[in-house]
Amino acid sequence: MIYMADTADIEALKNLYEFFPLQGVTTNPTILKQAGQPLSVAIEQIKAIVGDGMIHVQVMSENAEDIVREAKKYKTYFDLGDNYYTKIPVTPQGYKAMSILKDAGINVTATAIFTQQQALVAAKAGADFVAPYVSRLDNISSHGIDVVGDIAKNIIEYELNTKVLAASFKTVDQIYRVSMKRAHSATISPELLMQLIKHPMTDISVKTFLEDGQDLYDISF
């Protein structure tokens, strides 16, 4: 499982990168709004934290030619190299731009996916990652986990060079279930990433170890 942080909260990212084996950060206009940072500031700060990790930057343009120009600009402006992924919503113009950008050697993440067919078309258009929204599907009485599973199954069966980047989570259980559905990666909020590694029984076990070993560990280090 590839873990990525779905945030532009710089302090939260600094904390997570101290210990969590993250492989990148995903952003979008809503995340930037929540962080209160313009793109030029947020991505530079994220870049300083993630190093060689992936950075996924969403475009705002709607026309394919503008999407291509915008995506190329961000790669050079931030000097991101091969760890840069341009996030493109799965619209007709978005699909067109995906193919053009892949031919130009730019990594693509297809986003705002709600169906297996949207993801499959994006994969055929050359997307490196496809990002289905789990909780948003559940909110409209659909089945986000099952959609992720269907997409992952397609990728395996058709031997596509694409990874499922599951997104939009509200619970740790959802993350567990998409991992069991063979999702390749997940982008997760800092709050849920912290919950992911916590368990009260772990805390109790550590407390017991400290109490039991108090006078027994007699080797200085």
Side-chain angles (χ1 to χ4, degrees), residues 7-103:
T7 187
D9 183 329
I10 302 306
E11 291 307 313
L13 280 175
K14 286 179 180 177
N15 180 48
L16 284 167
Y17 266 83
E18 287 287 325
F19 66 92
F20 206 107
L22 292 169
Q23 290 177 260
V25 173
T26 62
T27 64
N28 63 35
T30 303
I31 284 172
L32 293 176
K33 183 178 180 180
Q34 291 169 347
Q37 294 273 35
L39 185 68
S40 61
V41 175
I43 300 303
E44 287 291 357
Q45 292 180 329
I46 291 169
K47 180 182 172 182
I49 296 168
V50 306
D52 292 332
M54 293 179 281
I55 300 178
H56 298 243
V57 183
Q58 187 162 325
V59 296
M60 285 284 287
S61 299
E62 298 180 90
N63 175 272
E65 287 72 24
D66 293 337
I67 292 171
V68 169
R69 193 168 66 252
E70 183 180 354
K72 288 181 176 180
K73 176 66 175 182
Y74 295 157
K75 183 175 183 178
T76 57
Y77 183 90
F78 295 112
D79 191 24
L80 291 171
D82 290 337
N83 63 340
Y84 165 68
Y85 288 75
T86 181
K87 287 179 70 179
I88 304 173
V90 286
T91 64
Q93 291 293 303
Y95 287 122
K96 179 180 178 180
M98 290 176 202
S99 297
I100 296 170
L101 286 166
K102 282 306 296 180
D103 287 343

